[in-house]
Amino acid sequence: MRLRVEFTTEPFDLDEAPAHAVVAREVIQSAELDAVDVGPFGNTAEGGADAVLTAVDALLRRSLAAGATRVSLQVNVIGEATGDVIGEGGK
């Protein structure tokens, strides 16, 4: 299964990227994802289910620890991919 995640972290600062936004960007850019697009008002990433879910876990934990007061995210199934396993129960 392939997933796309879209996310933002808050609070916003239009003058300088806050620490939580920088951390979130680093997490997503260093993850094993197929496509990543980061911007000042929203970010997207795509990849296999395991890679996306692992990145989302790290994103939430690290950006909250870095001062985010809100993380908005949406996860969409965008297709099938062979070899991805979600949990122990299979695909």
Side-chain angles (χ1 to χ4, degrees), residues 7 19 21 30-31 34 36 42 44 50 53-54 56 58 60 62 65 71 83 88:
F7 67 91
S30 66
D34 301 333
V36 174
T44 61
D50 285 342
L53 295 174
T54 297
V56 166
L60 291 171
R62 292 189 51 205
V71 179
E88 294 180 23

Side-chain angles (χ1 to χ4, degrees), residues 6-18 21 25 37-44 72-73:
E6 301 174 46
F7 67 91
T8 58
T9 61
E10 297 179 39
F12 294 114
D13 183 341
L14 296 177
D15 295 326
E16 183 177 336
R25 183 177 344 158
D37 182 22
V38 296
F41 300 108
N43 309 282
T44 61
S72 301
L73 65 90

Side-chain angles (χ1 to χ4, degrees), residues 15-87:
D15 295 326
E16 183 177 336
H20 60 80
V22 173
V23 165
R25 183 177 344 158
E26 290 172 353
V27 167
I28 290 300
Q29 289 177 325
S30 66
E32 295 181 23
L33 301 170
D34 301 333
V36 174
D37 182 22
V38 296
F41 300 108
N43 309 282
T44 61
E46 296 180 11
D50 285 342
V52 170
L53 295 174
T54 297
V56 166
D57 178 67
L59 166 77
L60 291 171
R61 292 175 189 277
R62 292 189 51 205
S63 62
L64 292 169
T69 58
R70 178 179 181 144
V71 179
S72 301
L73 65 90
Q74 179 173 310
V75 177
N76 295 299
V77 175
I78 58 172
E80 293 296 322
T82 59
D84 288 332
V85 177
I86 300 175

